[in-house]
Amino acid sequence: MDPAQSAVTLTVREALHTLSSSEDGGRLLSTLGALKRYLSGAENSALPGEQEEFARMHFSAVLRCLVGRLSPGWLELLPDGQLEDLWASFFLEGPADQAFLVLMESIEGAAGPSFRLMKMAQLLARFLSAGRMAAVMEGQSRQLTEPAFRLLQETLLTKVVGLPDHLGNRLQRENLEAFLPQNYFPLLGEEIMRVLQAVVDSLRGGWDCSVSFLSQVLGKACVHGRQKEILGVLVPRLTALTQGSCLWRRVCWRLVECVPDRAMEALLTGLVEAASGPDVLSRLLGNLVLKSKKAQFVMTRKILFLQYRYSTPMLQSLLGYLAMDSQRRLLLRQVLKELLETWGSPSAVRHTPLPQQRYVSSALLICLAHLQDTELRDSRDELLASLMAGVKTRLDSSLPAVRRLGMIVAGVASTRIHPDGPPLRFQYEEDELSRELLALAAPPPVADSPSEAEASPAVETPDRGSMDGGVPQAQSEGLGSDLDSDDELVPYDMSGDQELKSGKAPAYVRDCVEALTSSEDWERWEATLRALEGLIVRSPAAAREVSVELAKVLLHLEEKTSVVGFEGLRQRALVAVVVTDPALVAEYLTSQFYALNFSLRQRMDILDVLTLAAQQLSRPGRLPKAPQCGSPSPTSQPSSTQAPAWRAVVQERIRSKTRRFSQRSPRWGPDAGPNEFNLVAGYFFFPLIRHFDRPLVTFDLLGEDQLVLGRLVHTLGALMYLAVNTTVAVAMGKALLEFVWTLRFHGDAYVRRGLLSAVSSVLLSVPAERLLADLPDELLEARPWLADVAEQDPDEDCRVLAVKALLLLEKLRDTLVPLSSP
Amino acid sequence: MAASLLPPPDPQFVLRGTQSAVHALHFFGGAQGQGRPLLLSGSLSGLVHIWSLQTRRAVATLDGHGGQCVTWLQTLPQGHRLLSQGRDLKLRLWDLAEGRNAIVDSVPLESMGFCRSSVLAGGQERWMLAMPGRGNDEVQILEMPSKTSVCTLKPEADAKPGMPMCLELWQADSSPRPLLLAGYEDGSVALWDVSERKVCSRVACHTEPVMGFDFDSQKARGVSGSAEKALAVWSLDEQQALQVRGTHELTNPGIADVKIRPDRKILATAGWDHRVRVFHWWTMKPLAVLSFHSATVHCVAFATDGLLAAGSGDQRISIWSLYPIRSDASTPSLGHAEGREVGTQTLA
């Protein structure tokens, strides 16, 4: 044995003995002073060999012994806290990793709140604030890995990252500020930066260094969900440092590469979130996606296809990162293909929630903006094929939002993929979403080849704006304006000044039939259409004579000239016909719904008209209002429009003078009146529900005409709801629940929404006792189905509707329980 | 520019209760210091309603035309006198002073036409009345209150202008000679020199009968509306010659009445298409289309404070407040039958 070593061993052994047993302050002081000689950097220090041996073999033991002696009495053996200072200096100046481990160990080992625990915690806080954590990590980066070393590193890693958890557990409410995660992780980030600086310096000096421990710390912190805190410190610094220095860049790449696979996802998402743009991301990551399979998976699949919580700027920096390097561009093309496939896949359209579809669409448009024409040309056919398939799937969808998304994306993508070919053009109204998506499709500012396709619409818009403004025209008209300076006379909007066409309208309902069917005089035809609703309402008896005939004419009416508001006029007239003669016309319309030669549009019109008419019939207080739209009758005129004003005034006065003893808000319910829908609800409802499963040649509700099926279900639900308080409600409810049961697993979200709202309207319309008496099995069956939908349906509206229906069921039970208990 | 357009205006309020179509409107009083003016309306059922614009209620109803339509209303400067013309072939003179409403005098009419009469009244006791005469194309001038016939203005034999449709007596500031502007059935407007009983000038403005016109004597410019689809603007030069300055196309045919606001900034037309149109008087730039009524608008009237009233076949009178007159307006509102009368009213 080396004599020097044995000398150290002997000294230490003796010192430990003294420390553990002696109560004499002076003796302790001298012993500790002797030990301190072995710490590097102390005055009149020992030989380097001795120091090294002490550090490797005895330091932990000494520290443990010191911890063991810690008590209030012991510290007061010497005045002025000399002993405490000396004691602490061992932890703060000795080898950092061992000191850290002993500190953590003793804190964890403490039984409960005690003097020693608090002292140790305070010491740890001092340890952190003195920047010793950097020393811990730096120590690890200097030592090159050897097998036995692994275990220590592993322990160290757990303790470093888990420090806030451990201390939080141990100290409970007495936890110190420094150990809270929101304070600790930024500090850790600072320390990592310092270590990295040291690494860079030593690399410049020509020494080897490893950043793998740092990577592990970083990765683990990210896995713990602390990306924001730690990367919030690291990324801005690294962004600045990597700007100028190649070495820094390499260190940074290496740092990210060495992160273990299981932490890669957490780190990358954090980085993409924290990085301010594609170029920053590119500087930080390098070609990581090409080197690491895991990183590639995260960047090109997981973030894009499996998750959708990230913001658009994140997507932009991610895809921009892929576009920044020629090798990575291959990946970008791959991504585009996959995005297009997903975008158009029927199963994805059906089963993914709308926000995700929007997310994929934005990613798709960003991708397209980044790729150049030449790159797109290579795989044009393939891309076009999947785009067209996608457009078809999307336009077939019965959800307007899905169709809309399809139209917006298809319009942009087709011009981009195939700039020479005929572009797809759709009519949709601009809104925030479309503007946002179109803005994404514009090429990024750094793009090298601005494509004409995107540039031209932007140029066109101001042109169009000035054209319809009509400024020059108005100015040229004011010829004599030099005399008067009447600039303050600003004209009002005169767009409502149109030609009057009332002169040609027939005065009798019967004439309208003739005018609509055989008239070649289009002005008369239009005037008839405009006047029809008023005529029907004014003379119900005359309308009743020709009701079915009129309904037939209106149902088959086509818009031969471009009449403003044609659809609305026709619909209102039809509704008026149904309301005047509900039984006959409803019977006719419902029979036509399943007839052979109708377009889907007409069938849906039938449904709309039936719903609106049912609504008018069931609404109480409809009758007194109706004559008002007729000819002005002198007696009713003066009061009709002034009434609300004085009524409001009177009510306000009553309210101010009245003291109420209960807090219930006064109810101004609608005036009571007979529900006219009662007598005719059956005519509306049962013919519609009867034939839905019998496909015709031209009309297959259960097949591809699911849009109409969705409308049908909604209509049935609405009719059910409007049939509240009617005698047929129970029979209707039974039929409707059976109908719902057969369709409950329908693939189309729109149909399912209808079914769920139909269930709700059954629960609302059928009296509670009758529900329980007549439909117990149906309700019992519906409950688990609703619960299932509420949890698992991909469509958000479906889930909400299911929850609502469940709530209604609950309420139903609550109303029944007190009924049965007494 | 398109974005800054004001939305179409709404009426300030609406007077209901005439219970038949409104055919004549006239503002009465309302000059400075007298509060808000009264509004007179004549209806198809022969009643004249006097409306308070303060309470927005009818304060009195005058029944003097035997259930026949009242076509014209005009107040005289002296002592709160009202002239009303009815289809019962009577011109009634009412005394409205101090809450009275009695018929003071009555002048028989001899023409079954729709022509509205006109008065020329200075501050004096005597005033002049022009009304359609016995013959088909004649205009009769009376001196009131003595009811002496001054003359009958009969066009030359070969002119054949048809019946007079509207009349306006006026007097140029420079000369004391009374002049008469008359719109005829053939669409022409003629200027008569009353004292010489001859036509100074005549110009064809329309192809359809002139239904209404108004004349701005200060600018020597007038505007007329007819059954056709256009307004005509004409002017009078120093040689007393009328000439058409231009026509202004409308969306729908038929103008029942035209009035220029007393401050000569804007003019309003009563349209058969249920709408009131407002134009800039000097440039004829369209300013607003007031659509509120559901039947033909028969008459429009301006108050001195700029209020616009329109009476319609739907039995309602709508009151509009557009482009308020600024109180510091330097142009005096004189020189025009209506304005002059109001000016003297303040003295009375």
Side-chain angles (χ1 to χ4, degrees):
Chain A
M1 192 181 256
D2 195 347
Q5 283 176 357
S6 55
V8 174
T9 317
L10 281 175
T11 325
V12 169
R13 192 172 299 157
E14 195 178 326
L16 284 180
H17 181 70
T18 321
L19 283 176
S20 52
S21 57
S22 171
E23 299 288 330
D24 178 3
R27 182 131 178 255
L28 284 173
L29 194 63
S30 64
T31 317
L32 286 173
L35 281 179
K36 195 155 183 208
R37 282 178 52 233
Y38 293 114
L39 295 182
S40 55
E43 305 129 37
N44 57 37
S45 50
L47 302 168
E50 284 180 348
Q51 276 186 13
E52 195 187 325
E53 190 198 345
F54 176 77
R56 212 171 55 211
M57 318 250 316
H58 308 294
F59 186 59
S60 308
V62 171
L63 291 182
R64 282 200 190 95
C65 175
L66 285 175
V67 170
R69 285 298 291 170
L70 187 65
S71 68
W74 191 76
L75 286 179
E76 281 159 21
L77 287 176
L78 280 177
D80 306 336
Q82 282 179 36
L83 199 56
E84 192 176 352
D85 286 346
L86 198 59
W87 171 78
S89 71
F90 273 88
F91 290 91
L92 298 177
E93 288 162 28
D97 48 351
Q98 292 184 48
F100 179 67
L101 281 178
V102 171
L103 272 174
M104 289 303 287
E105 186 184 291
S106 60
I107 287 172
E108 277 161 42
S114 64
F115 173 77
R116 185 186 294 173
L117 181 62
M118 284 320 292
K119 271 284 170 229
M120 300 308 292
Q122 278 156 8
L123 184 59
L124 183 60
R126 268 179 78 188
F127 183 86
L128 291 181
S129 62
R132 294 300 285 166
M133 195 54 97
V136 174
M137 291 187 285
E138 199 179 337
Q140 297 307 310
S141 64
R142 297 228 181 279
Q143 279 150 347
L144 299 175
T145 13
E146 43 190 278
F149 203 65
R150 264 278 200 260
L151 200 61
L152 175 68
Q153 224 175 34
E154 205 64 41
T155 325
L156 207 51
L157 180 66
T158 324
K159 303 270 179 204
V160 167
V161 177
L163 183 136
D165 299 342
H166 289 301
L167 280 147
N169 280 338
R170 188 49 57 197
L171 295 175
Q172 307 275 349
R173 306 203 163 189
E174 270 119 54
N175 205 353
L176 301 180
E177 283 282 307
F179 305 139
L180 297 179
Q182 61 267 38
N183 298 329
Y184 176 72
F185 283 103
L187 178 102
L188 193 60
E190 300 274 353
E191 302 293 65
I192 291 178
M193 277 315 296
R194 280 173 53 192
V195 180
L196 282 177
Q197 182 68 52
V199 167
V200 169
D201 289 344
S202 67
L203 285 178
R204 284 213 180 100
W207 289 296
D208 243 0
C209 256
S210 146
V211 288
S212 78
F213 184 71
L214 290 179
S215 303
Q216 286 178 33
V217 170
L218 189 59
K220 201 159 175 92
C222 288
V223 168
H224 279 220
R226 296 297 167 184
Q227 293 105 321
K228 210 162 256 162
E229 284 93 348
I230 196 160
L231 292 175
V233 174
L234 280 179
V235 170
R237 300 277 194 86
L238 287 175
T239 308
L241 287 167
T242 49
Q243 182 122 42
S245 159
C246 212
L247 188 61
W248 264 106
R249 226 175 276 182
R250 284 237 295 287
V251 169
C252 192
W253 295 350
R254 185 78 195 140
L255 178 71
V256 186
E257 270 167 43
C258 291
V259 169
D261 276 357
R262 67 195 137 80
M264 192 59 100
E265 184 194 340
L267 175 71
L268 283 179
T269 52
L271 272 178
V272 173
E273 217 158 346
S276 56
D279 48 335
V280 172
L281 204 57
S282 178
R283 282 210 304 271
L284 296 182
L285 295 183
N287 267 340
L288 180 71
V289 276
L290 301 173
K291 290 179 200 155
S292 157
K293 275 265 178 280
K294 175 76 180 179
Q296 186 174 348
F297 173 74
V298 169
M299 296 287 258
T300 59
R301 291 212 62 84
K302 193 139 190 182
I303 294 185
L304 292 176
F305 296 102
L306 304 179
Q307 298 174 329
Y308 58 97
R309 66 188 170 91
Y310 305 106
S311 64
T312 315
M314 272 184 68
L315 271 180
Q316 267 166 329
S317 52
L318 169 64
L319 294 167
Y321 160 72
L322 291 181
M324 282 190 79
D325 184 276
S326 58
Q327 284 170 296
R328 281 175 287 185
R329 283 190 91 89
L330 293 175
L331 276 179
L332 188 65
R333 283 160 68 177
Q334 187 61 36
V335 165
L336 175 66
K337 263 180 221 165
E338 283 168 14
L339 277 171
L340 253 182
E341 270 163 33
T342 312
W343 182 77
S345 123
S347 132
V349 170
R350 183 168 292 182
H351 294 294
T352 53
L354 201 62
Q356 181 164 14
Q357 299 189 21
R358 203 172 295 160
Y359 182 80
V360 168
S361 305
S362 338
L364 184 58
L365 293 182
I366 297 172
C367 251
L368 280 172
H370 279 298
L371 285 172
Q372 289 168 15
D373 289 346
T374 46
E375 288 168 301
L376 289 171
R377 198 169 301 143
D378 297 341
S379 46
R380 175 188 292 168
D381 295 337
E382 203 180 330
L383 291 177
L384 265 185
S386 50
L387 176 72
M388 291 309 165
V391 171
K392 185 182 174 309
T393 329
R394 284 188 171 261
L395 292 186
D396 277 348
S397 166
S398 47
L399 299 182
V402 174
R403 288 202 296 271
R404 215 180 133 68
L405 209 53
M407 291 192 269
I408 299 172
V409 174
V412 177
S414 67
T415 45
R416 198 70 192 77
I417 294 174
H418 199 222
D420 320 321
L424 291 175
R425 276 189 201 286
F426 298 96
Q427 290 181 330
Y428 54 85
E429 279 179 23
E430 258 192 35
D431 66 350
E432 209 165 310
L433 172 72
S434 71
R435 273 193 290 275
E436 200 182 303
L437 286 177
L438 290 181
L440 290 181
V446 287
D448 18 21
S449 69
S451 57
E452 258 65 29
E454 257 92 7
S456 52
V459 177
E460 255 171 23
T461 35
D463 270 358
R464 216 182 307 145
S466 69
M467 252 160 63
D468 56 20
V471 188
Q473 200 186 355
Q475 276 168 350
S476 65
E477 211 166 294
L479 285 171
S481 61
D482 50 335
L483 282 168
D484 272 64
S485 57
D486 286 328
D487 296 335
E488 77 268 29
L489 302 189
V490 185
Y492 289 90
D493 182 14
M494 285 174 285
S495 53
D497 186 22
Q498 280 148 359
E499 280 187 48
L500 217 59
K501 287 175 187 157
S502 61
K504 298 197 159 193
Y508 301 99
V509 176
R510 199 172 277 278
D511 296 345
C512 294
V513 178
E514 181 267 323
L516 287 178
T517 46
S518 54
S519 175
E520 288 296 312
D521 180 355
W522 298 122
E523 281 185 20
R524 182 174 155 81
W525 186 83
E526 190 184 332
T528 309
L529 195 59
R530 289 189 192 282
L532 189 52
E533 190 198 358
L535 285 177
I536 295 169
V537 174
R538 221 175 299 159
S539 48
R544 231 164 268 145
E545 288 170 18
V546 288
S547 58
V548 174
E549 202 181 337
L550 200 55
K552 196 183 286 178
V553 169
L554 284 170
L555 187 60
H556 288 91
L557 202 62
E558 281 169 16
E559 189 177 6
K560 292 176 189 165
T561 56
S562 147
V563 176
V564 182
F566 170 80
E567 288 299 330
L569 287 170
R570 182 172 80 124
Q571 189 180 56
R572 280 205 298 278
L574 259 174
V575 170
V577 176
V578 181
V579 170
T580 30
D581 195 5
L584 276 181
V585 181
E587 203 176 357
Y588 167 74
L589 285 180
T590 48
S591 69
Q592 295 306 298
F593 180 73
Y594 287 109
L596 211 54
N597 293 320
F598 279 99
S599 69
L600 296 187
R601 178 73 251 164
Q602 280 167 318
R603 291 184 211 271
M604 290 200 279
D605 282 345
I606 292 178
L607 292 175
D608 289 347
V609 165
L610 286 176
T611 315
L612 289 171
Q615 193 179 2
Q616 280 202 14
L617 283 172
S618 71
R619 193 177 59 207
R622 177 185 60 91
L623 280 178
K625 199 178 162 269
Q628 208 194 340
C629 29
S631 67
S633 57
T635 44
S636 72
Q637 278 288 329
S639 63
S640 57
T641 50
Q642 285 175 346
W646 66 256
R647 187 167 291 163
V649 170
V650 170
Q651 276 172 5
E652 183 51 47
R653 262 183 222 161
I654 291 175
R655 197 163 30 240
S656 64
K657 297 263 163 69
T658 314
R659 179 173 296 169
R660 290 185 191 282
F661 294 101
S662 70
Q663 279 298 314
R664 265 176 59 189
S665 59
R667 264 191 218 154
W668 311 107
D671 303 333
N675 185 346
E676 286 176 62
F677 192 46
N678 184 12
L679 295 176
V680 291
Y683 291 107
F684 283 69
F685 185 82
F686 291 109
L688 279 185
I689 208 169
R690 200 179 298 150
H691 298 297
F692 74 96
D693 49 356
R694 284 180 216 164
L696 298 172
V697 185
T698 51
F699 185 46
D700 182 10
L701 269 183
L702 297 184
E704 59 184 10
D705 293 328
Q706 45 181 267
L707 179 64
V708 185
L709 180 65
R711 279 290 183 89
L712 173 65
V713 180
H714 277 95
T715 306
L716 290 173
L719 290 178
M720 184 71 232
Y721 177 70
L722 293 169
V724 66
N725 301 334
T726 60
T727 43
V728 281
V730 180
M732 282 167 72
K734 200 172 169 66
L736 190 55
L737 278 185
E738 275 168 19
F739 171 76
V740 167
W741 192 246
T742 53
L743 287 175
R744 67 193 185 284
F745 293 126
H746 200 276
D748 191 84
Y750 184 64
V751 175
R752 286 201 306 277
R753 282 183 207 170
L755 294 174
L756 290 162
S757 64
V759 172
S760 294
S761 51
V762 170
L763 292 174
L764 284 170
S765 288
V766 182
E769 306 86 69
R770 300 301 306 275
L771 266 180
L772 210 67
D774 294 7
L775 315 164
D777 297 341
E778 283 86 349
L779 288 185
L780 221 58
E781 280 170 335
R783 207 187 148 81
W785 169 60
L786 288 174
D788 196 45
V789 173
E791 263 181 33
Q792 298 186 344
D793 201 281
D795 189 74
E796 197 186 338
D797 285 355
C798 282
R799 291 197 297 269
V800 172
L801 285 170
V803 170
K804 282 182 184 161
L806 275 176
L807 281 177
L808 285 174
L809 263 180
E810 285 291 312
K811 220 170 111 190
L812 184 71
R813 207 187 57 188
D814 292 348
T815 54
L816 286 176
V817 168
L819 269 181
S820 55
S821 56
Chain B
M1 180 179 173
S4 68
L5 269 187
L6 301 163
D10 288 323
Q12 197 178 33
F13 53 90
V14 176
L15 302 174
R16 297 179 174 83
T18 60
Q19 308 215 348
S20 66
V22 181
H23 279 262
L25 283 173
H26 182 71
F27 279 102
F28 170 44
Q32 287 81 359
Q34 291 195 334
R36 301 196 77 171
L38 296 171
L39 177 66
L40 307 168
S41 76
S43 69
L44 185 66
S45 58
L47 297 182
V48 175
H49 294 264
I50 304 178
W51 302 88
S52 159
L53 296 182
Q54 208 105 48
T55 61
R56 301 173 187 181
R57 297 282 187 279
V59 290
T61 309
L62 316 178
D63 183 4
H65 287 282
Q68 301 285 312
C69 179
V70 177
T71 57
W72 178 65
L73 292 168
Q74 177 73 46
T75 47
L76 296 175
Q78 301 97 342
H80 296 269
R81 296 295 173 93
L82 167 71
L83 260 178
S84 67
Q85 178 184 355
R87 298 271 289 146
D88 60 342
L89 302 187
K90 290 281 189 315
L91 262 166
R92 304 284 193 193
L93 185 64
W94 302 80
D95 182 8
L96 300 182
E98 294 161 346
R100 283 190 289 264
N101 43 24
I103 299 174
V104 184
D105 204 350
S106 164
V107 182
L109 268 169
E110 288 171 88
S111 159
M112 277 298 284
F114 292 86
C115 183
R116 295 167 175 179
S117 308
S118 174
V119 290
L120 178 64
Q124 319 92 335
E125 275 300 301
R126 300 189 313 173
W127 41 281
M128 195 180 271
L129 172 71
M131 62 183 201
R134 182 198 307 262
N136 226 358
D137 49 3
E138 286 172 9
V139 178
Q140 200 174 8
I141 309 287
L142 296 182
E143 192 187 75
M144 297 295 282
S146 61
K147 296 196 268 184
T148 21
S149 174
V150 176
C151 58
T152 303
L153 304 179
K154 194 174 163 56
E156 288 150 39
D158 54 341
K160 290 203 175 58
M163 285 196 287
M165 302 299 291
C166 37
L167 305 170
E168 178 149 334
L169 274 173
W170 63 284
Q171 208 165 12
D173 287 340
S174 48
S175 85
R177 296 154 73 100
L179 299 166
L180 174 75
L181 274 166
Y184 285 98
E185 203 181 350
D186 69 344
S188 64
V189 174
L191 179 73
W192 289 84
D193 187 325
V194 175
S195 37
E196 290 184 19
R197 298 177 203 177
K198 72 169 178 61
V199 179
C200 299
S201 157
R202 187 164 152 234
V203 65
C205 301
H206 302 278
T207 53
E208 300 276 338
V210 178
M211 301 304 294
F213 68 75
D214 202 357
F215 184 69
D216 172 2
S217 57
Q218 208 168 63
K219 285 175 179 161
R221 243 163 60 109
V223 56
S224 59
S226 77
E228 65 183 9
K229 237 178 156 179
L231 285 177
V233 179
W234 29 267
S235 67
L236 193 62
D237 60 15
E238 285 79 15
Q239 283 79 43
Q240 308 278 39
L242 286 167
Q243 54 197 157
V244 176
R245 278 304 167 97
T247 58
H248 187 86
E249 281 293 312
L250 302 172
T251 320
N252 291 306
I255 292 296
D257 196 7
V258 181
K259 284 279 157 56
I260 302 169
R261 198 163 76 175
D263 70 341
R264 293 185 306 277
K265 287 271 200 263
I266 58 175
L267 72 107
T269 66
W272 293 358
D273 61 350
H274 315 172
R275 292 172 195 144
V276 174
R277 282 158 213 279
V278 178
F279 296 87
H280 192 286
W281 168 220
W282 194 245
T283 62
M284 287 308 282
K285 183 170 97 176
L287 293 177
V289 175
L290 313 178
S291 46
F292 165 78
H293 291 287
S294 54
T296 304
V297 183
H298 291 300
C299 47
V300 286
F302 278 111
T304 36
D305 62 357
L307 225 49
L308 166 65
S312 153
D314 64 2
Q315 311 179 352
R316 291 180 285 182
I317 302 166
S318 54
I319 309 289
W320 309 75
S321 174
L322 302 171
Y323 307 111
I325 297 178
R326 283 182 303 177
S327 51
D328 60 332
S330 53
T331 46
S333 57
L334 290 174
H336 175 234
E338 209 169 9
R340 190 177 312 159
E341 169 227 320
V342 168
T344 48
Q345 185 105 44
T346 50
L347 299 171

